[in-house]
Amino acid sequence: MTAVHFPPSTAFHYRNGILHCDDVPLTDLADEGGPTWVYSARVVDQAYAAVDQAMSFAPHLIAYAVKANGNLAILARLAKAGAGADIVSEGELRRALRAGVPADRIVWSGVGKRDRELRVAAGAGLRAIHIECIEELDLLERFGSPDAPVRVALRINPDVDSGSHPYLSTGLHSTKFGLEVAVARSLLPRLVQSRTLRLEGVACHVGSQLDSPVPLREATRLLALFARECLDAGAPLRSIDPGGGWPMSYGAEETPFPPHQAFGAAIAAGIADAGMSDAGLEVVTEPGRALVGDAGILLVRVLAEKHQGGRRFVIVDGAMTELVRPALYGAHHAVMPVREHLGEWSAADVVGPVCESGDFLARGRPLPAVKRGDLLAIRGAGAYGREMSSTYNGRPAAREILVDGKKTRMVRRRGTISSLWALEEP
Ligand code: LLP
């Protein structure tokens, strides 16, 4: 097997035989303390600009899905560019506010919200709280006041198949998300008459890593038809929010996904299909991975190589505790040696130190000869990497570095060993 040529990445490329993030060699960013996340600020900026351009057909808000990567430096960068936030908990709300996202650019979408969370959300002046069950409507109606009605949106479940991994599909009736349209419709008279709630939006989210814009177009069409019903019922509707799902590349040697432009166009087409282009609605979109995923890698160090049972195992210091996506979804992340290697390559499983056979970062993937101490970069790790990390097996959180051209900044220190039991009592 000869050397693999990885699809070009805007941030990660070889220069003088060393993989760089923009102008910085990754060899400068590794330490002996464990794996490191590396993000390119420039790629985040570029991704935001591309989504913004794709949405230019209408007045819009890009409410970045904080769950993809809530690092304060990344959030602050996106907020400065004009982004809002899509949040799912009080923790994410406080994080977004702390990073400087204005409350009136924050939407709260989530299938279960505690009393306290609803009270906090109602008092925070958010752009919209997405109602996903009757219980939320009852409580929010109590928490609002006629002087300061709570701005809400109805999240519907459009029963559209996103075509993505079953765990990442959220728009089918068989999932727990949103309200069936008939149920949402039945709430309209109450919402329109409420003196403490203001129905300003409709929302949905069909799923993540959409490999085609078609389901997004169909979901947007159904959502826009429901928006029409809300307006006809007398709601002061202001926005339509078909969720996130815009895909990213993962540096994979697979078919490239459609460009961002196609997903903006799908939303525009869905609104037009419903005859709602002239309804004057603002469009909210909630991309997560598309803004940060390809901007990040997980930098890991080789600990050992062994051959057994007919397989080649490359054991590294990063694991499912940092990047659980391969173990959880069988997700593909390209693996690149940090020192360019033009000789022979052979298939390897890249595995971590965690005591589970499911602890792998890649399986049967071409890799050159490696030895203890060599560095590897796991691509497409900027989204749902650090956020889904755990300290399983006594592994403190990895550190995070933001690269901005030639400059680097540690935007999260490594977790300490004592932090592992800091909240416990012996
Ligand atoms: N809006 C809502 C209401 C969502 O639930 C999500 C993701 C998004 C927006 C952003 O989706 P994105 O644009 O990033 O695809 N852990 C999984 C992803 C779960 C996504 C859950 N919701 C993964 O690693 O792929």
Side-chain angles (χ1 to χ4, degrees), residues 296-355:
I297 54 128
L298 179 65
L299 189 58
V300 300
R301 197 181 284 281
V302 174
L303 301 176
E305 170 166 346
K306 63 176 159 183
H307 296 254
Q308 56 195 30
R311 297 192 79 82
R312 174 186 174 206
F313 293 103
V314 171
I315 303 161
V316 298
D317 65 355
M320 66 189 291
T321 41
E322 285 72 46
L323 190 63
V324 75
R325 303 191 73 260
L328 195 54
Y329 318 115
H332 179 111
H333 291 255
V335 180
M336 296 174 80
V338 167
R339 278 187 201 281
E340 195 172 20
H341 197 287
L342 302 171
E344 275 299 299
W345 291 43
S346 67
D349 291 357
V350 180
V351 300
V354 164
C355 305

Side-chain angles (χ1 to χ4, degrees), residues 65 67-68 86 109-110 155 167-168 170 177 204-205 207-209 243-246 250 286-290 325 328-329 383-384 388:
K67 61 177 79 68
D86 156 47
S109 216
R155 175 170 173 180
Y167 291 4
L168 307 186
T170 52
F177 299 97
C204 70
H205 171 68
S208 287
Q209 190 60 11
W246 306 50
Y250 291 102
E286 303 169 1
R289 77 191 66 224
R325 303 191 73 260
L328 195 54
Y329 318 115
Y384 305 106
M388 297 177 78

Side-chain angles (χ1 to χ4, degrees), residues 371-391:
K371 58 179 187 324
R372 186 173 174 97
D374 286 352
L375 294 169
L376 301 176
I378 316 294
R379 286 258 301 263
Y384 305 106
R386 66 162 242 145
E387 292 298 328
M388 297 177 78
S389 290
S390 77
T391 56

Side-chain angles (χ1 to χ4, degrees), residues 63 107 130 202-205 223 239-244 282-286:
V107 300
H130 295 179
V202 289
C204 70
H205 171 68
L223 189 62
S239 42
I240 174 167
D241 174 352
E282 274 179 69
V283 185
V284 180
T285 181
E286 303 169 1

Side-chain angles (χ1 to χ4, degrees), residues 93-116:
L93 171 62
R94 303 269 181 213
R95 184 177 273 286
L97 293 171
R98 170 77 180 78
V101 183
D104 66 1
R105 282 197 237 143
I106 297 178
V107 300
W108 186 320
S109 216
V111 77
K113 310 174 186 81
R114 288 181 293 112
D115 288 18
R116 180 194 151 89

